[in-house]
Amino acid sequence: MHSDVSIARFKQFPRLMWILLFGSFITRGSYFMVWPFLAVILYEKFALSATEVGLILSCAAFIAVFTSFIGSALSDRIGRQKLMYLTGTLYIISFSLLAEVDSVNGYAIVMTLCSIATSLWRPLTSATIGDIIDDPQTRELAMQSLYFIVNVGCAVGPMMGIWLGLTGQQSSFYITAAAFAVLILLLYWGFTHQALQGVNGKVEQVPDELIPAMGDATSAVKRKPAHVSRRQVVAILLQDKLLQCLIFANILCMFIYAQMDSSLIQYLTRANAPDLLQLISAMIFTNALVIVSTQFLLLRLMASYSLIRRIQFGLVLLVVSQVWLAHNPIDLFWGWIGAIVVMSLAETILFPTMNVHIDRLAPRHLRGAYFGASSFYEVGFAIAPLGGGIILDHLGGYWLFIIGAILSLVVIYLYSMLETLPRPDFAAMKQE
């Protein structure tokens, strides 16, 4: 499919889409001022081992994964709008608490709340985009744009934190809480405007006589699908073998990527890498800068390739980055940056394409459930800090990245067999 990134397609974005983009920028920017430094804070404050830090991060993420699936599926029934307000409120409470806690148990509890909020927010945002934008090409551009703006926030956040002297300071979590308070107000304004067009985050029946007056956005909600019970949703997901294989492949992929956020930072901290905080900030900035500067160029260059081919190419780059990280000397600053450049190019291809892939696989009336199921990718993020910590404590940094390279090859194989796997007969289900 040819990806049209013209100005005309951007003009098709409804007001709520622009609010989601701006909100993602301010919340991600403030989030990345301090969150990546939590492993350093826990090590310096409590002298925890790599495995202990990993266990805290992994437990928080595990709980969040299952909460996210339940919440996202529930959004098909009660509406994205209510759940987004609740999730935003949870963000405000949890990040305010994170600015004050001063014990290992306190960190473990509050980080769990933060992780739940984060894992709920991502699939809710993706499903909402599907609700408010009907045209597939415009919707793909919207998802690419969301990923782009998130990474602009990731690039600005760490550097802004350094300039303001906030990097690694616990009190700066209040900034993230304040950013979400602003976003909730903007969302209320956006949803109110969108509701006038008949879209409030739930799939609704729109009377035919109102369609001409309500604009293109209503075509996404013109026909009301038959009600699907929670048990039926689970049965459908269990029948979709392609989805299950995709989830497993992406769990492995996320396990590899999450090492950058947790185990790589722990490895550099314990190996006494020179200029540690500057190196960590530079790696986060480089990661985001590469994505921001190359995303739409790569989107155009790879437009003629299938989604599967794009993802496999990204995975080859991921293998290269892992081998580079394994062999880079601890004191070679620009060597770490170079490896992150390659890893970031892989991420630029992989992450937004994964969201588009799910969007194409999901039936409209089960979009929330499918994006919720895709949140099980986060199991990879969940087990990464603990798994990476154990590997670091027992095998060292070299094997952490060599294992990452091997797992990348496994993911390439899994993607090669996806199209041979059976799926439910959705047409027959609609007839029933």
Side-chain angles (χ1 to χ4, degrees):
M1 183 191 75
H2 176 68
S3 295
D4 185 354
V5 292
S6 67
I7 298 298
R9 287 209 177 275
F10 280 111
K11 287 181 177 178
Q12 292 178 26
F13 287 2
R15 179 184 297 177
L16 185 56
M17 183 65 220
W18 292 110
I19 290 172
L20 290 172
L21 290 174
F22 177 71
S24 296
F25 170 71
I26 61 171
T27 54
R28 289 290 91 183
S30 59
Y31 179 91
F32 273 91
M33 277 187 187
V34 282
W35 186 267
F37 300 93
L38 266 177
V40 178
I41 292 172
L42 289 171
Y43 175 67
E44 291 180 346
K45 278 189 122 177
F46 307 109
L48 301 181
S49 70
T51 302
E52 288 169 332
V53 172
L55 182 61
I56 291 173
L57 294 170
S58 288
C59 286
F62 257 119
I63 294 170
V65 166
F66 293 99
T67 307
S68 176
F69 172 65
I70 294 168
S72 298
L74 192 62
S75 75
D76 285 327
R77 297 163 64 91
I78 69 171
R80 317 299 174 218
Q81 183 177 356
K82 292 177 184 175
L83 274 183
M84 290 184 92
Y85 291 155
L86 289 172
T87 304
T89 303
L90 179 58
Y91 256 118
I92 294 168
I93 293 170
S94 57
F95 276 91
S96 296
L97 290 172
L98 195 55
E100 297 295 335
V101 292
D102 197 31
S103 68
V104 174
N105 290 338
Y107 270 101
I109 293 169
V110 177
M111 286 166 65
T112 299
L113 294 177
C114 292
S115 297
I116 288 172
T118 302
S119 63
L120 273 172
W121 189 263
R122 281 193 289 250
L124 279 173
T125 303
S126 297
T128 300
I129 291 171
D131 291 338
I132 63 178
I133 300 178
D134 193 35
D135 179 72
Q137 289 186 325
T138 305
R139 193 161 65 241
E140 177 173 346
L141 178 60
M143 290 186 174
Q144 294 278 0
S145 300
L146 180 69
Y147 191 69
F148 174 84
I149 204 71
V150 161
N151 282 284
V152 173
C154 294
V156 171
M159 304 313 292
M160 184 68 72
I162 289 178
W163 292 332
L164 297 176
L166 296 173
T167 300
Q169 287 190 21
Q170 190 177 351
S171 60
S172 51
F173 282 113
Y174 278 125
I175 298 174
T176 306
F180 264 92
V182 172
L183 179 54
I184 287 178
L185 294 175
L186 289 172
L187 280 174
Y188 178 78
W189 178 54
F191 274 117
T192 300
H193 180 266
Q194 198 74 30
L196 298 176
Q197 299 181 350
V199 184
N200 72 347
K202 290 172 73 172
V203 181
E204 296 183 349
Q205 179 73 43
V206 180
D208 287 347
E209 62 271 19
L210 294 182
I211 296 296
M214 291 169 59
D216 293 338
T218 57
S219 58
V221 292
K222 182 176 179 180
R223 294 175 181 84
K224 184 177 181 179
H227 173 70
V228 182
S229 70
R230 194 173 303 168
R231 184 175 296 177
Q232 288 172 313
V233 169
V234 173
I236 291 168
L237 295 178
L238 289 176
Q239 289 175 45
D240 199 335
K241 301 303 179 187
L242 187 154
L243 177 68
Q244 292 167 32
C245 183
L246 181 68
I247 289 172
F248 179 64
N250 289 342
I251 284 172
L252 295 180
C253 193
M254 296 302 179
F255 176 86
I256 300 161
Y257 264 104
Q259 302 308 326
M260 179 180 162
D261 293 331
S262 56
S263 303
L264 173 57
I265 292 173
Q266 293 212 64
Y267 170 59
L268 295 172
T269 302
R270 285 160 170 74
N272 296 316
D275 302 316
L276 177 63
L277 291 181
Q278 287 80 2
L279 176 58
I280 294 172
S281 295
M283 289 193 300
I284 297 168
F285 177 76
T286 299
N287 173 246
L289 183 64
V290 169
I291 293 168
V292 167
S293 60
T294 64
Q295 183 179 346
F296 288 106
L297 174 63
L298 287 171
L299 181 62
R300 277 194 175 279
L301 290 175
M302 305 192 77
S304 61
Y305 295 94
S306 69
L307 291 179
I308 300 295
R309 284 285 175 267
R310 292 185 221 175
I311 290 171
Q312 288 177 326
F313 181 74
L315 289 166
V316 170
L317 290 177
L318 185 57
V319 173
V320 173
S321 72
Q322 295 301 295
V323 173
W324 187 336
L325 287 168
H327 291 90
N328 193 69
I330 191 68
D331 58 351
L332 186 58
F333 184 97
W334 290 107
W336 295 114
I337 300 301
I340 294 303
V341 168
V342 178
M343 194 172 182
S344 302
L345 287 171
E347 181 181 344
T348 306
I349 298 167
L350 289 172
F351 280 31
T353 308
M354 288 176 181
N355 268 346
V356 174
H357 198 184
I358 284 291
D359 184 70
R360 292 190 188 176
L361 292 175
R364 177 171 294 284
H365 64 297
L366 294 175
R367 183 173 277 120
Y370 266 68
F371 274 107
S374 74
S375 69
F376 279 104
Y377 300 171
E378 304 294 321
V379 169
F381 275 116
I383 61 179
L386 178 58
I390 292 171
I391 294 170
L392 275 180
D393 281 343
H394 294 91
L395 298 176
Y398 175 81
W399 280 105
L400 175 70
F401 303 117
I402 291 299
I403 290 171
I406 294 169
L407 291 178
S408 301
L409 294 173
V410 173
V411 177
I412 291 174
Y413 170 72
L414 291 174
Y415 264 95
S416 71
M417 60 181 285
L418 274 185
E419 294 176 2
T420 66
L421 299 174
R423 302 202 68 204
D425 186 349
F426 297 111
M429 289 175 186
K430 285 183 180 178
Q431 292 172 2
E432 293 173 7

